[in-house]
């Protein structure tokens, strides 16, 4: 009875705040974007494309959005600071014709241009209008398991001259990029006799990837 009084359906007895915090953490990939190199092509206001990648809790901030310029197309080039396994996407817009109607995802093609969007994407989604950021589009994880660069192409909307996006959520796992040779160089450079003794006792430490 107590769980029902809390306003949750059966089986959901955790408190709302806790659940929201957990859900917000799942959408934390925006923290792993290399913002120096993030690009949004055909944005009306320079730098506005970057503002749609923000905390899940702040998705309702209507002051931050990107609007397309010449036509309804938008193209994001999103480099990550490591390797990402992308599991889901949220795209939030207005309840009108400016909301994107289609999303095409490409992996590991840095600096994509609109010419490059003629290529076959890894996955295409038909979008529904989502003014509250509630709809999650699940990716085919096998195709997005080792993504260091994600391109998102929005080719069309629901009929307006320009497209507006308020929030893009990216859900998944992030792994630090491993550059093995660099690790070894650093290790050798800082080596001292004590290290070498350790290495003889436990040779496997050398092979931590």
């Amino acid at each position: 009875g107590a769980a029902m009084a809390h306003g949750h359906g059966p089986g959901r007895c955790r408190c709302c705040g806790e659940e929201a915090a957990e859900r917000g953490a799942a959408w934390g990939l925006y923290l792993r974007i290399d913002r120096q190199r993030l690009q949004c092509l055909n944005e009306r206001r320079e730098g506005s494309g970057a503002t749609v990648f923000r905390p899940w809790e702040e998705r309702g901030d209507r002051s931050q959005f990107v609007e397309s310029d010449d036509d309804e197309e938008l193209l994001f080039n999103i480099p990550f600071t490591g390797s990402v396994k992308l599991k889901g996407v949220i795209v939030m817009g207005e309840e009108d014709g400016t909301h994107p109607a289609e999303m095409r995802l490409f992996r590991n093609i840095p600096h994509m241009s609109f010419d490059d969007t003629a290529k076959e994407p890894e996955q295409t989604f038909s979008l529904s209008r989502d003014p509250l950021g509630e709809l999650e589009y699940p990716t085919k994880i096998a195709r997005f398991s080792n993504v260091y660069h994600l391109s998102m192409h929005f080719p069309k909307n629901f009929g307006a001259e320009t497209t507006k996006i308020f929030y893009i959520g990216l859900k998944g796992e992030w792994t630090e990029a491993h550059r093995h040779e660099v690790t070894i160089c650093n290790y050798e450079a800082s080596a001292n006799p004590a290290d070498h003794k350790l290495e003889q006792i436990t040779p496997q430490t050398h092979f931590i990837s």
Side-chain angles (χ1 to χ4, degrees):
M4 293 302 281
H6 196 68
H8 283 327
R12 291 177 62 192
C13 51
R14 277 180 310 168
C15 284
C16 307
E18 211 176 294
E19 202 164 90
E22 215 164 277
R23 178 142 194 226
W27 295 94
L29 278 187
Y30 72 94
L31 292 166
R32 305 302 188 179
I33 293 172
D34 180 350
R35 292 201 175 249
Q36 300 299 307
R37 291 169 35 236
L38 175 68
Q39 280 181 319
C40 178
L41 305 188
N42 199 33
E43 58 184 8
R44 178 167 292 184
R45 204 174 75 250
E46 194 178 335
S48 57
T51 67
V52 304
F53 299 99
R54 57 180 187 268
W56 183 79
E57 298 79 16
E58 292 170 26
R59 67 195 182 287
D61 178 357
R62 303 308 263 185
S63 68
Q64 301 194 69
F65 63 89
V66 61
E67 185 172 5
S68 63
D69 192 15
D70 294 334
D71 54 25
E72 73 277 25
E73 284 190 84
L74 281 169
L75 175 61
F76 293 89
N77 280 316
I78 307 158
F80 294 106
T81 56
S83 173
V84 163
K85 181 186 284 186
L86 183 67
K87 296 180 172 182
V89 181
I90 289 175
V91 180
M92 182 175 149
E94 296 268 35
E95 185 65 83
D96 64 13
T98 63
H99 195 295
E102 189 179 294
M103 170 173 68
R104 304 166 75 235
L105 301 183
F106 299 85
R107 66 182 273 266
N108 301 344
I109 311 177
H111 310 296
M112 271 189 83
S113 67
F114 282 108
D115 291 344
D116 297 324
T117 60
K119 295 178 183 170
E120 190 64 35
E122 298 293 334
Q123 198 168 351
T124 301
F125 298 85
S126 289
L127 303 181
S128 301
R129 289 190 185 92
D130 186 14
L132 299 176
E134 295 175 323
L135 301 176
E136 178 183 334
Y137 298 94
T139 58
K140 294 175 179 159
I141 295 174
R143 293 190 185 181
F144 294 97
S145 60
N146 183 21
V147 180
Y148 56 85
H149 186 284
L150 176 70
S151 298
M152 310 179 82
H153 178 218
F154 297 93
K156 58 185 185 218
N157 59 26
F158 286 97
E161 284 185 17
T162 59
T163 296
K164 273 189 184 181
I165 296 175
F166 285 83
Y167 168 80
I168 293 177
L170 301 173
K171 182 168 96 171
E173 296 166 18
W174 176 84
T175 319
E176 209 168 331
H178 288 299
R179 296 196 182 82
H180 206 70
E181 62 286 351
V182 177
T183 321
I184 290 170
C185 293
N186 291 348
Y187 181 78
E188 298 303 343
S190 63
N192 63 41
D195 287 337
H196 286 289
K197 272 183 212 144
L198 278 173
E199 203 179 285
Q200 286 156 18
I201 304 159
T202 53
Q204 72 272 22
T205 53
H206 204 72
F207 299 104
I208 293 170
S209 58

PDB file of all heavy atoms in Angstrom, residues 74-92:
ATOM      1  N   LEU A  74      20.446  19.837 -40.466  1.00  0.00           N
ATOM      2  CA  LEU A  74      21.486  20.062 -39.462  1.00  0.00           C
ATOM      3  C   LEU A  74      22.399  18.847 -39.453  1.00  0.00           C
ATOM      4  O   LEU A  74      21.941  17.711 -39.633  1.00  0.00           O
ATOM      5  CB  LEU A  74      20.891  20.241 -38.062  1.00  0.00           C
ATOM      6  CG  LEU A  74      20.281  21.606 -37.714  1.00  0.00           C
ATOM      7  CD1 LEU A  74      19.500  21.510 -36.411  1.00  0.00           C
ATOM      8  CD2 LEU A  74      21.357  22.684 -37.616  1.00  0.00           C
ATOM      9  N   LEU A  75      23.681  19.093 -39.237  1.00  0.00           N
ATOM     10  CA  LEU A  75      24.658  18.000 -39.171  1.00  0.00           C
ATOM     11  C   LEU A  75      25.615  18.262 -38.017  1.00  0.00           C
ATOM     12  O   LEU A  75      26.273  19.300 -37.979  1.00  0.00           O
ATOM     13  CB  LEU A  75      25.428  17.898 -40.499  1.00  0.00           C
ATOM     14  CG  LEU A  75      26.573  16.889 -40.572  1.00  0.00           C
ATOM     15  CD1 LEU A  75      26.087  15.459 -40.344  1.00  0.00           C
ATOM     16  CD2 LEU A  75      27.296  16.981 -41.926  1.00  0.00           C
ATOM     17  N   PHE A  76      25.653  17.327 -37.076  1.00  0.00           N
ATOM     18  CA  PHE A  76      26.565  17.428 -35.935  1.00  0.00           C
ATOM     19  C   PHE A  76      27.730  16.475 -36.132  1.00  0.00           C
ATOM     20  O   PHE A  76      27.523  15.308 -36.462  1.00  0.00           O
ATOM     21  CB  PHE A  76      25.861  17.034 -34.637  1.00  0.00           C
ATOM     22  CG  PHE A  76      24.777  17.978 -34.191  1.00  0.00           C
ATOM     23  CD1 PHE A  76      23.469  17.809 -34.631  1.00  0.00           C
ATOM     24  CD2 PHE A  76      25.055  19.015 -33.305  1.00  0.00           C
ATOM     25  CE1 PHE A  76      22.459  18.665 -34.202  1.00  0.00           C
ATOM     26  CE2 PHE A  76      24.047  19.866 -32.878  1.00  0.00           C
ATOM     27  CZ  PHE A  76      22.748  19.698 -33.323  1.00  0.00           C
ATOM     28  N   ASN A  77      28.947  16.970 -35.896  1.00  0.00           N
ATOM     29  CA  ASN A  77      30.142  16.129 -35.825  1.00  0.00           C
ATOM     30  C   ASN A  77      30.585  16.128 -34.368  1.00  0.00           C
ATOM     31  O   ASN A  77      30.965  17.165 -33.830  1.00  0.00           O
ATOM     32  CB  ASN A  77      31.260  16.687 -36.716  1.00  0.00           C
ATOM     33  CG  ASN A  77      31.068  16.313 -38.174  1.00  0.00           C
ATOM     34  OD1 ASN A  77      30.743  15.175 -38.486  1.00  0.00           O
ATOM     35  ND2 ASN A  77      31.267  17.262 -39.066  1.00  0.00           N
ATOM     36  N   ILE A  78      30.513  14.951 -33.734  1.00  0.00           N
ATOM     37  CA  ILE A  78      30.725  14.862 -32.293  1.00  0.00           C
ATOM     38  C   ILE A  78      31.906  13.940 -31.994  1.00  0.00           C
ATOM     39  O   ILE A  78      31.765  12.714 -32.007  1.00  0.00           O
ATOM     40  CB  ILE A  78      29.453  14.313 -31.605  1.00  0.00           C
ATOM     41  CG1 ILE A  78      28.232  15.150 -32.010  1.00  0.00           C
ATOM     42  CG2 ILE A  78      29.624  14.295 -30.095  1.00  0.00           C
ATOM     43  CD1 ILE A  78      26.921  14.423 -31.835  1.00  0.00           C
ATOM     44  N   PRO A  79      33.087  14.512 -31.730  1.00  0.00           N
ATOM     45  CA  PRO A  79      34.232  13.683 -31.354  1.00  0.00           C
ATOM     46  C   PRO A  79      34.200  13.422 -29.841  1.00  0.00           C
ATOM     47  O   PRO A  79      33.877  14.315 -29.063  1.00  0.00           O
ATOM     48  CB  PRO A  79      35.453  14.538 -31.711  1.00  0.00           C
ATOM     49  CG  PRO A  79      34.936  15.922 -31.936  1.00  0.00           C
ATOM     50  CD  PRO A  79      33.442  15.934 -31.800  1.00  0.00           C
ATOM     51  N   PHE A  80      34.496  12.203 -29.442  1.00  0.00           N
ATOM     52  CA  PHE A  80      34.544  11.862 -28.025  1.00  0.00           C
ATOM     53  C   PHE A  80      35.988  11.822 -27.534  1.00  0.00           C
ATOM     54  O   PHE A  80      36.919  11.693 -28.325  1.00  0.00           O
ATOM     55  CB  PHE A  80      33.871  10.508 -27.776  1.00  0.00           C
ATOM     56  CG  PHE A  80      32.394  10.512 -28.049  1.00  0.00           C
ATOM     57  CD1 PHE A  80      31.879   9.903 -29.193  1.00  0.00           C
ATOM     58  CD2 PHE A  80      31.512  11.123 -27.173  1.00  0.00           C
ATOM     59  CE1 PHE A  80      30.518   9.901 -29.448  1.00  0.00           C
ATOM     60  CE2 PHE A  80      30.139  11.137 -27.419  1.00  0.00           C
ATOM     61  CZ  PHE A  80      29.647  10.525 -28.562  1.00  0.00           C
ATOM     62  N   THR A  81      36.144  11.903 -26.217  1.00  0.00           N
ATOM     63  CA  THR A  81      37.486  11.896 -25.632  1.00  0.00           C
ATOM     64  C   THR A  81      37.975  10.478 -25.377  1.00  0.00           C
ATOM     65  O   THR A  81      38.981  10.272 -24.704  1.00  0.00           O
ATOM     66  CB  THR A  81      37.478  12.670 -24.304  1.00  0.00           C
ATOM     67  OG1 THR A  81      36.482  12.073 -23.447  1.00  0.00           O
ATOM     68  CG2 THR A  81      37.138  14.134 -24.512  1.00  0.00           C
ATOM     69  N   GLY A  82      37.260   9.509 -25.877  1.00  0.00           N
ATOM     70  CA  GLY A  82      37.636   8.104 -25.718  1.00  0.00           C
ATOM     71  C   GLY A  82      36.747   7.282 -26.626  1.00  0.00           C
ATOM     72  O   GLY A  82      36.221   7.791 -27.612  1.00  0.00           O
ATOM     73  N   SER A  83      36.549   6.030 -26.258  1.00  0.00           N
ATOM     74  CA  SER A  83      35.696   5.153 -27.061  1.00  0.00           C
ATOM     75  C   SER A  83      34.340   5.017 -26.376  1.00  0.00           C
ATOM     76  O   SER A  83      34.259   4.829 -25.168  1.00  0.00           O
ATOM     77  CB  SER A  83      36.363   3.786 -27.189  1.00  0.00           C
ATOM     78  OG  SER A  83      35.473   2.902 -27.821  1.00  0.00           O
ATOM     79  N   VAL A  84      33.279   5.110 -27.165  1.00  0.00           N
ATOM     80  CA  VAL A  84      31.929   5.108 -26.612  1.00  0.00           C
ATOM     81  C   VAL A  84      31.130   3.931 -27.162  1.00  0.00           C
ATOM     82  O   VAL A  84      31.239   3.590 -28.337  1.00  0.00           O
ATOM     83  CB  VAL A  84      31.222   6.445 -26.971  1.00  0.00           C
ATOM     84  CG1 VAL A  84      29.724   6.337 -26.805  1.00  0.00           C
ATOM     85  CG2 VAL A  84      31.779   7.568 -26.117  1.00  0.00           C
ATOM     86  N   LYS A  85      30.356   3.314 -26.277  1.00  0.00           N
ATOM     87  CA  LYS A  85      29.358   2.342 -26.715  1.00  0.00           C
ATOM     88  C   LYS A  85      28.015   3.068 -26.602  1.00  0.00           C
ATOM     89  O   LYS A  85      27.519   3.298 -25.498  1.00  0.00           O
ATOM     90  CB  LYS A  85      29.387   1.103 -25.821  1.00  0.00           C
ATOM     91  CG  LYS A  85      28.378   0.042 -26.231  1.00  0.00           C
ATOM     92  CD  LYS A  85      28.327  -1.105 -25.229  1.00  0.00           C
ATOM     93  CE  LYS A  85      29.548  -2.000 -25.397  1.00  0.00           C
ATOM     94  NZ  LYS A  85      29.448  -3.206 -24.524  1.00  0.00           N
ATOM     95  N   LEU A  86      27.466   3.454 -27.744  1.00  0.00           N
ATOM     96  CA  LEU A  86      26.244   4.270 -27.754  1.00  0.00           C
ATOM     97  C   LEU A  86      25.012   3.369 -27.693  1.00  0.00           C
ATOM     98  O   LEU A  86      24.844   2.480 -28.515  1.00  0.00           O
ATOM     99  CB  LEU A  86      26.210   5.132 -29.020  1.00  0.00           C
ATOM    100  CG  LEU A  86      25.026   6.090 -29.141  1.00  0.00           C
ATOM    101  CD1 LEU A  86      25.092   7.188 -28.082  1.00  0.00           C
ATOM    102  CD2 LEU A  86      24.986   6.715 -30.528  1.00  0.00           C
ATOM    103  N   LYS A  87      24.151   3.633 -26.692  1.00  0.00           N
ATOM    104  CA  LYS A  87      22.994   2.756 -26.484  1.00  0.00           C
ATOM    105  C   LYS A  87      21.670   3.419 -26.798  1.00  0.00           C
ATOM    106  O   LYS A  87      20.688   2.733 -27.080  1.00  0.00           O
ATOM    107  CB  LYS A  87      22.974   2.281 -25.033  1.00  0.00           C
ATOM    108  CG  LYS A  87      24.180   1.432 -24.672  1.00  0.00           C
ATOM    109  CD  LYS A  87      24.111   0.996 -23.229  1.00  0.00           C
ATOM    110  CE  LYS A  87      25.216  -0.006 -22.921  1.00  0.00           C
ATOM    111  NZ  LYS A  87      25.114  -0.467 -21.526  1.00  0.00           N
ATOM    112  N   GLY A  88      21.604   4.732 -26.706  1.00  0.00           N
ATOM    113  CA  GLY A  88      20.320   5.380 -26.936  1.00  0.00           C
ATOM    114  C   GLY A  88      20.477   6.868 -27.174  1.00  0.00           C
ATOM    115  O   GLY A  88      21.485   7.464 -26.804  1.00  0.00           O
ATOM    116  N   VAL A  89      19.464   7.447 -27.810  1.00  0.00           N
ATOM    117  CA  VAL A  89      19.477   8.863 -28.156  1.00  0.00           C
ATOM    118  C   VAL A  89      18.103   9.462 -27.830  1.00  0.00           C
ATOM    119  O   VAL A  89      17.078   8.819 -28.042  1.00  0.00           O
ATOM    120  CB  VAL A  89      19.776   9.066 -29.662  1.00  0.00           C
ATOM    121  CG1 VAL A  89      19.810  10.546 -30.019  1.00  0.00           C
ATOM    122  CG2 VAL A  89      21.099   8.409 -30.052  1.00  0.00           C
ATOM    123  N   ILE A  90      18.117  10.680 -27.310  1.00  0.00           N
ATOM    124  CA  ILE A  90      16.885  11.466 -27.146  1.00  0.00           C
ATOM    125  C   ILE A  90      17.039  12.713 -28.007  1.00  0.00           C
ATOM    126  O   ILE A  90      18.113  13.326 -28.025  1.00  0.00           O
ATOM    127  CB  ILE A  90      16.678  11.907 -25.681  1.00  0.00           C
ATOM    128  CG1 ILE A  90      16.303  10.727 -24.784  1.00  0.00           C
ATOM    129  CG2 ILE A  90      15.584  12.979 -25.563  1.00  0.00           C
ATOM    130  CD1 ILE A  90      16.198  11.076 -23.301  1.00  0.00           C
ATOM    131  N   VAL A  91      15.998  13.090 -28.733  1.00  0.00           N
ATOM    132  CA  VAL A  91      16.010  14.328 -29.519  1.00  0.00           C
ATOM    133  C   VAL A  91      14.751  15.110 -29.163  1.00  0.00           C
ATOM    134  O   VAL A  91      13.642  14.631 -29.343  1.00  0.00           O
ATOM    135  CB  VAL A  91      16.029  14.047 -31.038  1.00  0.00           C
ATOM    136  CG1 VAL A  91      16.043  15.366 -31.813  1.00  0.00           C
ATOM    137  CG2 VAL A  91      17.247  13.209 -31.414  1.00  0.00           C
ATOM    138  N   MET A  92      14.954  16.324 -28.665  1.00  0.00           N
ATOM    139  CA  MET A  92      13.841  17.113 -28.160  1.00  0.00           C
ATOM    140  C   MET A  92      13.706  18.417 -28.941  1.00  0.00           C
ATOM    141  O   MET A  92      14.684  19.124 -29.151  1.00  0.00           O
ATOM    142  CB  MET A  92      14.152  17.404 -26.690  1.00  0.00           C
ATOM    143  CG  MET A  92      13.128  18.167 -25.952  1.00  0.00           C
ATOM    144  SD  MET A  92      13.707  18.221 -24.228  1.00  0.00           S
ATOM    145  CE  MET A  92      13.008  19.787 -23.778  1.00  0.00           C
TER     146      MET A  92
END
